[in-house]
Amino acid sequence: MRYVLSVPGRLTLLLVVIAIARPALAAEPAQPGQPPQGAPPPPAAEPTPTPIAPAPDRPVPQGPDDGSPDDIAGMSHSDPDATLHEDNEFGPLIQIERIDITGNTATKTTVIERALPISAGDVLHSSDRRLRETRFKVLALGFFRDVDLAIHKGSQRGQVVIEVHVTERGTRVLNKLWFGTTDLSPGWGGADIGDRNLLGLGLAVGGGFIYARQGGLAGTRSQYAGELRAAISALGGTRWGASAAVTLVHGSEPFCAPRNGAPPVCAFHYSRVGARVGATYELSALTTLSLGLRLETIDATLPAAPITTLADNTPVAVDLHLEPGSSRVVTTSLGFDHDTRPDPILPHAGSLVALSAELGSSLLAGSYDFATIFGRFEHYWPVRGGHDALAIKLTAGVVVGDAPRFDRIYIADVDHMLTPRALGLVLSTAAPLAILGTRAEKPTYGDLGGSATAEYVFQLFRGSGKERVYGGDVFIGAGVWGLAERTDLRARDTGFVASLPIDLYADAGLRLDTDFGVFELAIANALGRLR
């Protein structure tokens, strides 16, 4: 059977062939000024939009070559005011035309400018580490809850304007609040307050006072302590800072627990008056070196033969680690601090390394020859996109020589479930909880101690704007702690594990970062106010 195409059918076939061949025709280069063969007529040209002039405070950046900041700190055409971030140490050279400080109302601009590692006129690569460190340097002042860094075009090609926008914290803060009731004192209370940016000058001042009423333990008395301090993070725009503090303590220190047959007097009286001066030097935006000098006088009324009684009523002599009557403590200290946590108050990333060493000597006119070394390490791993965090926290210390009692490691320094010292005052004689079944008679003071903690942090919220509560986290953690005298480890009459002065502790609670300070509502904190 033959199929004959009519005229309409032939036209249809021709259109089909043209449709099939059209992609090939479109691939042929068109002659200048002529559209490709078979292409539809071009649409009518749309009018070119009128450029919108940028706002004075949000100019469109301009790079040194093509008028765009594509390579400057990783910024793009579509986001001309993107914040700086670290890609590498390369990129085009740029010159800082000026630095704009915005957002500060209480803090003087000169205080912020002194902390900056960059200045107008500097020529640097777009990914220079000084740009990355600027945010940390300003945050390290402690006056701001957040710092944003942005780059804008300058008046000429190759020049840029750096904008440092700060969000201020409240300057008047409640650093600590002491209150509770324990076996040693039926009631105690006090507070530590301060202004971390007095008159916007970058000067931090503060002080605390606590009073503890006398309890029923023989030999005790009512106690009180106070402290005044001041510090400035930068002197005259240099990397040097300075601090000073004076302390007064009128205390009563327990040294034994009353049992059947125990001596009637289980405490001694003392007073301490001291002063500290220090200097800090910023090695980098994240690293600080500190130097210190401490002068202190101690006046102690000690019992002639202090003893304590073990659980089996065996009397044991107690070394109070103090000179009777008047004595002096004169020390020099050295500290190192490296902090990479973007948010040091509610951290979810980064790490902290802090080391300190202190040396006391009779060569400095002191009464005690000793040395102490303490270390602290924290690291945070972000979880669930940074909303949660897993943390490891380690602390350790060693005391060498004839250190006075107050410079030794106290048991509440390592066991978080006990009442901590407040301005040097001991407020409880409660024994640590026996969880592992190790050595029962754990020392109150030691020359070897530390703790290791694992903690998981859940982010509740983060505030914004002018809210008084900046953020909140829920945390849960557990760890192991230990405290010992070296002589106790060498002389033991039980198995090694049973003789170890170690045990476990656990904690959980809520941390709040507020305009008035940081508050922690935790189980261990509550136990420390009641035991």
Side-chain angles (χ1 to χ4, degrees), residues 22-39:
R22 185 176 180 182
L25 295 174
E28 293 294 330
Q31 296 296 325
Q34 295 183 2
Q37 186 176 0

Side-chain angles (χ1 to χ4, degrees), residues 106-130:
T107 307
K108 294 186 180 299
T109 300
T110 54
V111 173
I112 304 174
E113 290 175 340
R114 287 200 300 262
L116 299 178
I118 56 177
S119 59
D122 287 351
V123 177
L124 64 167
H125 285 284
S126 58
S127 294
D128 192 287
R129 64 180 178 82
R130 287 174 291 176

